[in-house]
Every structure is written in structure tokens, then in C-alpha cells.
Amino acid sequence: DIQMTQSPSSVSASVGDRVTITCRARQGISRWLAWYQQKPGKAPKLLIYGASILQSGVPSRFSGSGSGTDFTLTISSLQPEDFATYYCQQANSFPYTFGQGTKLEIK
Amino acid sequence: EVQLVESGGGLVQPGRSLRLSCAASGFTFDDYAMYWVRQAPGKGLEWVSGISWNSRSIGYADSVKGRFTISRDNAKNSLNLQMNSLRVEDTALYYCAKDFGVPEGAMDVWGQGTTVTVSS
């Protein structure tokens, strides 16, 4: 199985800040990586697929990069609605796996 | 409207079985792979199982392999998860999710989940 490790586990930031979350795969997964946002009591929402392709309707302040084993999710200017938990997920091979999540909190 | 509705959750004793279902609507079901993802209370997401559009490719998390069986009925637009030998640690909210399509592997539509509680 491909283990996915996110960092940090939690981060405090202010509206307007730039935030970067990293995700590392134990082995190379090319660009088979997705990012999700989850708010309390809600199902996850797909933000990015193919490591860097923005899902339709997702604001352009979200961006993704990376390939192989190292990936990043960047939010360029935090908005109040962005405070949530973020997960990466590898889709290179079954079984797919998620990172442990990064909780983005208001400072 | 694209929609996934899970059902079948409930309270069950350890060692017993439960069958989850997911009813899909608003898209061509047999064009897409489908998945089950779970979330234990207060914990992160855990991918449980996936099935290709034609059922030829199936995968399971190590934690459920040999106990859970995923299946789909394309004629009925339904996805199922047969869960046997349930354990306390299987307690979670179980989501059904639709594959994005191209490229495969991302999940773009999720249901609201069905809760499974395993307890004596």
C-alpha cells in the first residue's frame, strides 16, 4: 500500500494569508493525486485532481503542484470559508489511500 | 441532478454482517468507477473499496480485505458493500463516491453517508 503523509497536521492562519500544505507519497505516484476539502458534518469536496487541475467551480486561489512523491496544495489568500480540513489522496493504484488530514484553523 | 444516496447502516454486534447500498441518479452509472470511503468519529478519511465500471477491477483496504465485498448492479444503478465479521473498529460514517472519470481515481460526487455502529 502507498502511504500518504501530510504536513502539517494543523495550521493556524488569518484571512488573507497564504497557506501551503504538503503531501508526500511513500513511493512515486506520478501525478495521480487529488485534494479534498471537508467541513464539519459535510461530505468531502473535490478541489484538485491530477495533482494540479482545478475542479470546476473551485476558486482560483486554490492551486496544486508536484509529481512523483512530493505535492503541495496552496491557498493564495485565505477566505473565511476556507477554514476546514484538507486531505490528499493517491489514485495511482488500489488500494487508494488518503493522507491523515490537515486542519486549517483561524488564528 | 447528480446524486448518491446511501442506506443500510445501523447498529450491529461484533461478528455480525451488514449490507450497505448506494443508489445513484443523474449520471450514466455504468460509465464510472465507484468507491466506498469511511470516516470514524473524529477521525480522517479512509478509503475502503473501489470497483471499476465493469466490475473487472476491484480493490480493498487491508483493514477490510477478506471481510468486505463490493459489488455493483449497473441495471439498477446501485453500488453495494457486504460487510461480514464486523469489528468495533469498523464503526464509521460510510460514504459512497463517484469517480471523476478522466483521469480516474479522484472522487467528484459524494453521498451524505450512512452510519455503521458496531457494538455489543
Side-chain angles (χ1 to χ4, degrees), chain A residues 7 13 16 18 23 29 32 35 37 40 45 55 59 62 68 77-79 89 92 94 97 104 106:
Chain A
S7 61
R18 179 184 181 92
C23 180
I29 58 170
W32 295 99
W35 289 97
Q37 176 193 67
K45 173 186 175 183
Q55 168 68 330
F62 290 91
S77 179
L78 276 172
Q79 297 303 300
Q89 174 237 325
N92 181 75
F94 279 173
T97 44
L104 178 51
I106 301 174

Coordinates of all heavy atoms in Angstrom, one line a residue, chain A residues 7 13 16 18 23 29 32 35 37 40 45 55 59 62 68 77-79 89 92 94 97 104 106:
Chain A
S7 N 1.6 17.2 5.9 CA 2.1 18.1 6.9 C 1.8 19.6 6.6 O 1.7 19.9 5.4 CB 3.6 18.0 7.1 OG 4.3 18.3 5.9
A13 N -4.0 30.2 10.7 CA -3.7 31.3 9.8 C -4.8 32.3 9.8 O -5.9 32.1 10.4 CB -3.5 30.8 8.4
G16 N -6.6 36.2 4.4 CA -5.7 36.9 3.6 C -4.3 36.3 3.5 O -3.5 36.6 2.6
R18 N -1.4 33.4 3.0 CA -1.0 32.3 2.0 C -0.7 31.1 2.8 O 0.2 31.2 3.7 CB 0.1 32.8 1.1 CG 0.6 31.7 0.1 CD 1.8 32.3 -0.7 NE 2.3 31.4 -1.7 CZ 1.9 31.4 -2.9 NH1 1.0 32.3 -3.3 NH2 2.4 30.6 -3.8
C23 N 2.1 17.1 0.9 CA 1.7 15.7 0.9 C 2.8 14.9 0.3 O 3.3 15.2 -0.8 CB 0.4 15.5 0.2 SG -0.3 13.8 0.1
I29 N 4.0 8.3 -7.5 CA 2.6 8.1 -7.9 C 2.4 9.0 -9.2 O 1.2 9.3 -9.5 CB 1.6 8.4 -6.8 CG1 1.8 9.8 -6.3 CG2 1.7 7.4 -5.7 CD1 0.6 10.3 -5.4
W32 N -0.9 11.2 -10.0 CA -2.2 10.6 -9.6 C -2.5 11.0 -8.1 O -2.5 10.2 -7.2 CB -2.1 9.1 -9.7 CG -2.0 8.6 -11.1 CD1 -0.8 8.2 -11.7 CD2 -3.0 8.5 -12.1 NE1 -1.1 7.8 -13.0 CE2 -2.4 8.0 -13.2 CE3 -4.4 8.7 -12.0 CZ2 -3.2 7.7 -14.4 CZ3 -5.1 8.5 -13.2 CH2 -4.5 8.0 -14.4
W35 N -6.9 16.4 -4.1 CA -7.0 17.1 -2.9 C -8.5 17.4 -2.6 O -9.3 17.7 -3.5 CB -6.3 18.5 -2.9 CG -4.8 18.4 -2.9 CD1 -4.0 18.5 -4.0 CD2 -4.0 18.4 -1.8 NE1 -2.7 18.4 -3.6 CE2 -2.6 18.4 -2.2 CE3 -4.2 18.3 -0.4 CZ2 -1.6 18.3 -1.4 CZ3 -3.2 18.2 0.5 CH2 -1.8 18.2 0.0
Q37 N -11.5 19.1 0.3 CA -11.8 19.9 1.5 C -13.0 19.3 2.2 O -14.0 19.0 1.5 CB -12.1 21.4 1.0 CG -12.6 22.3 2.0 CD -13.2 23.6 1.4 OE1 -14.3 23.5 0.8 NE2 -12.5 24.7 1.6
P40 N -17.0 20.5 8.8 CA -17.7 19.7 9.8 C -19.1 19.3 9.4 O -19.9 20.1 9.0 CB -17.7 20.5 11.1 CG -16.5 21.4 10.9 CD -16.4 21.7 9.4
K45 N -15.2 17.5 -0.5 CA -15.4 18.2 -1.8 C -14.1 18.1 -2.5 O -13.0 18.5 -2.0 CB -15.8 19.6 -1.5 CG -15.9 20.5 -2.8 CD -16.1 22.0 -2.4 CE -16.1 22.9 -3.6 NZ -16.2 24.3 -3.3
Q55 N -10.7 21.6 -10.0 CA -12.1 21.1 -10.3 C -13.0 22.3 -10.7 O -12.8 23.4 -10.1 CB -12.6 20.3 -9.1 CG -14.1 20.0 -9.2 CD -14.5 19.0 -10.2 OE1 -13.9 18.9 -11.3 NE2 -15.5 18.2 -9.9
P59 N -12.5 28.0 -6.5 CA -11.9 29.3 -6.7 C -10.4 29.2 -7.1 O -9.7 28.3 -6.7 CB -12.0 30.0 -5.4 CG -13.2 29.3 -4.7 CD -13.2 27.9 -5.2
F62 N -7.0 28.5 -5.0 CA -6.5 27.1 -4.7 C -5.6 26.7 -5.9 O -6.0 26.9 -7.1 CB -7.7 26.1 -4.6 CG -8.5 26.3 -3.3 CD1 -9.6 27.1 -3.3 CD2 -8.1 25.7 -2.1 CE1 -10.3 27.3 -2.2 CE2 -8.8 25.9 -1.0 CZ -10.0 26.7 -1.0
G68 N 5.4 12.7 -8.7 CA 6.3 11.7 -8.1 C 5.9 11.4 -6.7 O 5.0 10.7 -6.4
S77 N -4.8 33.3 -0.8 CA -5.3 34.4 0.0 C -6.5 33.8 0.8 O -7.6 33.8 0.2 CB -5.6 35.6 -0.8 OG -6.2 36.6 0.1
L78 N -6.3 33.4 2.0 CA -7.4 32.7 2.7 C -8.6 33.5 2.9 O -8.6 34.7 3.2 CB -6.9 32.3 4.1 CG -6.0 31.0 4.2 CD1 -5.5 30.9 5.6 CD2 -6.9 29.8 3.9
Q79 N -9.7 32.8 2.6 CA -11.0 33.4 2.8 C -11.7 32.7 4.0 O -11.4 31.6 4.4 CB -11.9 33.3 1.6 CG -11.3 34.1 0.4 CD -11.1 35.5 0.7 OE1 -12.1 36.3 1.0 NE2 -9.9 36.0 0.6
Q89 N -5.1 12.5 -1.6 CA -5.4 11.1 -1.8 C -4.7 10.6 -3.1 O -4.7 11.3 -4.1 CB -7.0 10.9 -2.1 CG -7.4 9.6 -2.5 CD -8.2 9.6 -3.8 OE1 -8.9 10.5 -4.2 NE2 -8.0 8.5 -4.7
N92 N -3.0 6.3 -7.7 CA -2.0 5.6 -8.6 C -2.4 4.1 -8.7 O -2.3 3.5 -9.8 CB -0.6 5.7 -8.1 CG 0.4 5.1 -8.9 OD1 0.8 5.6 -10.0 ND2 0.9 3.9 -8.5
F94 N -4.8 0.7 -6.6 CA -5.5 0.1 -5.5 C -4.6 -0.5 -4.5 O -3.6 -1.1 -4.9 CB -6.5 -0.9 -6.0 CG -7.8 -0.4 -6.6 CD1 -8.7 -1.2 -7.2 CD2 -8.1 1.0 -6.5 CE1 -9.8 -0.8 -7.7 CE2 -9.3 1.4 -7.1 CZ -10.2 0.5 -7.7
T97 N -5.3 5.6 -1.1 CA -5.1 5.9 0.3 C -5.2 7.4 0.4 O -4.8 8.2 -0.5 CB -3.8 5.4 0.8 OG1 -2.8 5.7 -0.2 CG2 -3.8 3.9 1.2
L104 N -7.1 23.4 9.0 CA -6.8 24.8 8.9 C -7.7 25.6 9.8 O -9.0 25.6 9.6 CB -7.0 25.1 7.4 CG -6.7 26.6 7.0 CD1 -5.4 27.1 7.5 CD2 -6.8 26.7 5.5
I106 N -8.6 29.2 12.2 CA -8.5 30.6 12.2 C -7.5 31.1 13.4 O -7.7 30.6 14.5 CB -9.8 31.3 12.4 CG1 -10.8 30.9 11.3 CG2 -9.7 32.8 12.5 CD1 -12.2 31.4 11.5

